Amino acid sequence: MAEYGYFLATEEFGPAELVEQARMAEQAGFDSLWISDHFHPWNDAQGQSPFVWSVIGALAEAVSLPIGTAVTCPTVRMHPAVVAQAAATSAVMTGGRFRLGVGSGEALNEHILGTRWPPTHVRLDMLEEAVQVMRQLFTGKEVSHYGKHYTVENARLYTVPDEPVPIDISGFGAKATSLASRVGDGYITMTPDAALVARFRKGGGGAKPVSGGVKVCYGGDRDEAVRTVRRLWANQLLPGEMGQILPSPRHFEQLEPLVTEEQVADAMVCGDDVEAHVSALSAFTDAGFDRVYVGQVGPDQRGFFDFYRTKVLPQVQGAN
């Protein structure tokens, strides 16, 4: 039985808007929430970047849906001990309805303290050690850890949930997927790739949950929806490792001319064609995903939720 959640974009919306979207998502029949964790937006047109842990506190009071980060980087900008405290508190506030999604991060958010941005293999090594540190702290016992990347001395979390916070690991390639299968409580990836799902499950992930996310732009005028996506989220269509290594929003803006409206129209669901939206979500379930999160690009949030409540969710949830 696949679940369908809503993906809250902290890069595009402020705290009050995010909380209201969460309320609308619950009313529309979504099963859960994801929320991004960024220090910067991808570009100035997106224009927001609230502190995710403050927003999660508000969400815990506003809705009863499960909440997860997609994703937090617990390695450079924030020490894993601090992330562990934030995650444990979030789990307590939500009554155990919180999952910590983690990944190896992007320079856009993580280099801001002036530290060196490591290559991929080092970032993954740091991530694995960070997960180890956080799991120790989730026990509520005093922890001292002297590792390759992190030191923790006499640290104890006094506010912890009854059960340790589940940690889902994001991966887009073979190495990160293998890491997720070894040490994750679940796997996150953003393309409906059946081969990656199989790699996770065969590598040790077994029946642990696999989650994916997709952005769409609902609207009555498809051409206008395409233009909205290109203006706000052209970064999603940039090739290669640029998303991980570019250090500031202006660098992403400089590359926006590489992304055309035609590319957006081909790659992303825009407009009000019900079958196109259903197909975008079904591609994930067909690839073996357990949870699919969809985010609406642009200001027409209420129209999106009405559309999904009446047209899209009945089809995909009914297919279960």
Side-chain angles (χ1 to χ4, degrees):
M1 293 287 288
E3 297 180 4
Y4 297 90
Y6 187 70
F7 197 165
L8 298 164
T10 59
E11 306 94 322
E12 193 181 340
F13 300 99
E17 294 173 297
L18 294 166
V19 171
E20 181 58 25
Q21 288 170 21
R23 291 193 182 101
M24 290 192 288
E26 186 166 39
Q27 293 164 4
F30 284 95
D31 299 310
S32 55
L33 298 170
W34 257 1
I35 185 166
S36 56
D37 180 0
H38 267 233
F39 190 89
H40 290 137
W42 295 98
N43 54 56
D44 282 0
Q46 290 176 350
Q48 293 287 340
S49 194
F51 188 55
V52 70
W53 303 105
S54 300
V55 179
I56 289 171
L59 294 174
E61 295 297 306
V63 298
S64 61
L65 296 178
I67 303 166
T69 54
V71 294
T72 294
C73 179
T75 58
V76 179
R77 171 170 49 105
M78 291 182 67
H79 192 283
V82 178
V83 175
Q85 185 183 29
T89 299
S90 298
V92 170
M93 291 188 70
T94 58
R97 293 177 287 110
F98 178 77
R99 298 183 73 93
L100 176 64
V102 299
S104 59
E106 308 93 9
L108 175 71
N109 302 300
E110 305 305 322
H111 87 294
I112 60 168
L113 303 180
T115 52
R116 173 177 173 266
W117 184 236
T120 301
H121 72 280
V122 175
R123 301 202 306 270
L124 291 174
D125 194 47
M126 294 171 72
L127 181 61
E128 185 165 2
E129 185 178 335
V131 169
Q132 178 186 354
V133 167
M134 292 188 292
R135 287 223 172 97
Q136 291 179 61
L137 287 165
F138 289 153
T139 66
K141 300 176 181 178
E142 183 176 300
V143 174
S144 290
H145 170 91
Y146 302 93
K148 180 178 179 181
H149 302 288
Y150 302 107
T151 298
V152 179
E153 288 189 337
N154 306 119
R156 178 184 172 190
L157 297 183
Y158 281 80
T159 301
V160 293
D162 293 336
E163 298 293 332
V165 180
I167 301 176
D168 299 332
I169 296 179
S170 173
F172 305 104
K175 292 181 180 178
T177 302
S178 295
L179 172 62
S181 68
R182 288 200 321 274
V183 304
D185 296 311
Y187 175 49
I188 293 171
T189 193
M190 294 300 175
T191 57
D193 190 327
L196 287 178
V197 174
R199 186 181 190 94
F200 170 75
R201 299 210 184 281
K202 292 177 181 177
K208 293 175 182 177
V210 175
S211 303
V214 60
K215 281 188 166 49
V216 303
C217 188
Y218 162 79
D221 184 333
R222 183 172 185 267
D223 292 339
E224 179 59 29
V226 167
R227 288 191 289 272
T228 297
V229 171
R230 185 180 180 277
R231 178 174 61 87
L232 294 172
W233 288 92
N235 60 281
Q236 289 218 141
L237 299 180
L238 293 174
E241 297 182 64
M242 286 185 280
Q244 284 71 53
I245 63 175
L246 295 179
S248 76
R250 72 174 181 275
H251 293 104
F252 286 93
E253 291 167 0
Q254 290 166 6
L255 296 180
E256 285 175 5
L258 298 177
V259 179
T260 66
E261 291 182 9
E262 289 75 15
Q263 288 174 304
V264 171
D266 289 342
M268 298 180 67
V269 176
C270 297
D272 59 359
D273 183 328
V274 176
E275 291 307 315
H277 286 264
V278 169
S279 294
L281 274 59
S282 298
F284 284 88
T285 55
D286 291 346
F289 285 69
D290 303 291
R291 297 167 180 163
V292 187
Y293 293 82
V294 57
Q296 162 73 354
V297 173
D300 191 6
Q301 295 291 315
R302 188 164 297 279
F304 164 86
F305 285 115
D306 288 342
F307 177 66
Y308 265 65
R309 175 179 56 82
T310 59
K311 304 289 187 182
V312 179
L313 289 182
Q315 288 203 45
V316 295
Q317 291 171 337
N320 285 330

